[in-house]
């Protein structure tokens, strides 16, 4: 089986170039206690049930040691430390159980920590690139402004989307108050979008934004790209 990953967006940005993506691994499976015990038993020549009982006893003893405030170190395996959680107002603040707690943190030994360093998973779902480079009135050729009733032309990258079937994809104008309206797309390719301005959108200054997943996968992240200073003019 092959280890894979896909990317999800971790922040919103006005410009697609500033979008930050984070990889998420898809594990090839899980190795549970019985399987690990069997592998250890094969090397020690012990009964796997004995190995499992050692696990249980070890966990119990570690819990007792941590409850005494000790740090536990198992050479070649891990280090378990106590870590405070929660904020305090200043250096003289008293410990407040309502806000503060102590967690046991497991830090793997170097050999375990570095075991997967050479893995190179395959990206099964490429992040979508969407850029909005400019808007033009197809009649007056004015940049970043369209007269109501005229056809507008967007130019960019990765603009094709499923605008007819997905309400959250499309071309939108957003006013200064945050209110948004969806424009009517009449044609689109990867590099262009033809649109008209519906009659119920008032003339004024807006931000124009394209939203697209640009792919067939339903779990693709919705990506946005926009241009500030877009004007809708009265006919």
């Amino acid at each position: 089986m092959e280890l894979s990953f896909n990317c999800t967006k971790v922040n919103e940005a006005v410009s697609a170039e500033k979008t930050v993506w984070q990889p998420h691994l898809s594990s090839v499976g899980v190795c549970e206690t019985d399987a690990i015990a069997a592998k250890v038993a094969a090397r020690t020549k012990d009964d796997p049930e004995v190995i499992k009982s050692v696990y249980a006893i070890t966990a119990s003893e570690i819990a007792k040691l941590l409850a005494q405030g000790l740090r536990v170190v198992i050479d070649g395996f891990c280090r378990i430390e106590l870590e405070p959680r929660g904020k305090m107002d200043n250096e003289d603040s008293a410990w407040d159980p309502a806000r503060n707690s102590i967690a046991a943190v497991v830090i793997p030994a170097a050999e375990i920590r570095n075991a997967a360093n050479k893995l190179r998973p395959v990206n099964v779902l490429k992040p979508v690139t969407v850029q909005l480079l400019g808007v033009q009135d197809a009649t007056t050729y004015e940049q970043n402004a369209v007269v109501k009733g005229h056809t507008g032309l967007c130019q960019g990258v990765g603009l094709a989307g499923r605008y007819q079937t997905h309400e959250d994809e499309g071309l939108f104008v957003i006013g200064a108050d945050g209110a948004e309206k969806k424009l009517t797309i009449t044609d689109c390719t990867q590099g262009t979008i033809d649109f008209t301005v519906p009659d119920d959108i008032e003339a004024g200054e807006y931000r124009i934004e394209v939203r697209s997943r640009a792919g067939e996968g339903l779990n693709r992240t919705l990506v946005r790209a926009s241009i500030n200073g877009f004007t809708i003019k009265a006919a």
Side-chain angles (χ1 to χ4, degrees):
M1 299 180 70
E2 190 175 60
L3 191 67
S4 63
F5 76 99
N6 58 42
C7 294
T8 58
K9 190 165 64 172
V10 296
N11 77 325
E12 293 289 341
V14 171
S15 172
E17 292 86 352
K18 297 180 181 178
T19 298
V20 177
W21 295 83
Q22 181 175 354
H24 290 271
L25 287 176
S26 299
S27 176
V28 296
V30 179
C31 186
E32 297 182 334
T33 304
D34 286 347
I36 297 174
K39 289 180 177 294
V40 174
R43 297 181 62 176
T44 63
K45 309 304 180 185
D46 290 309
D47 187 317
E49 293 302 316
V50 173
I51 302 298
K52 288 167 62 177
S53 69
V54 171
Y55 291 163
I57 294 170
T58 302
S60 176
E61 292 302 317
I62 289 174
K64 293 176 184 177
L65 294 169
L66 290 172
Q68 298 172 30
L70 295 172
R71 180 173 66 176
V72 176
V73 178
I74 304 176
D75 291 338
F77 185 55
C78 70
R79 184 173 79 246
I80 306 175
E81 298 182 347
L82 301 177
E83 182 179 280
R85 300 286 173 85
K87 295 182 179 180
M88 290 187 167
D89 297 328
N90 55 64
E91 62 182 354
D92 297 319
S93 296
W95 185 270
D96 182 359
R99 293 193 302 173
N100 305 116
S101 61
I102 298 175
V105 179
V106 179
I107 304 170
E111 183 177 359
I112 295 176
R113 186 174 64 248
N114 299 329
N117 278 357
K118 294 182 180 180
L119 286 176
R120 294 294 181 268
V122 175
N123 190 345
V124 296
L125 188 61
K126 298 290 185 182
V128 176
T129 298
V130 176
Q131 296 180 16
L132 191 57
L133 303 177
V135 185
Q136 183 183 69
D137 189 305
T139 301
T140 65
Y141 303 109
E142 186 175 0
Q143 295 294 318
N144 296 332
V146 172
V147 176
K148 293 183 70 171
H150 291 187
T151 296
L153 174 65
C154 291
Q155 295 178 313
V157 177
L159 300 181
R162 296 164 293 182
Y163 305 133
Q164 303 300 324
T165 57
H166 291 69
E167 287 297 319
D168 59 349
E169 296 188 45
L171 194 62
F172 299 79
V173 288
I174 300 96
D177 60 355
E180 63 183 46
K181 289 278 190 177
K182 192 171 184 177
L183 302 178
T184 302
I185 293 177
T186 55
D187 190 26
C188 71
T189 67
Q190 286 294 337
T192 62
I193 293 177
D194 293 347
F195 68 92
T196 59
V197 179
D199 292 336
D200 62 347
I201 298 181
E202 298 292 333
E205 295 293 319
Y206 295 90
R207 176 163 60 90
I208 186 168
E209 180 175 276
V210 61
R211 302 171 188 170
S212 174
R213 293 184 177 83
E216 296 302 321
L218 295 179
N219 61 339
R220 282 186 181 274
T221 301
L222 186 71
V223 179
R224 307 162 186 247
S226 63
I227 293 177
N228 292 312
F230 172 68
T231 304
I232 295 178
K233 296 186 173 182

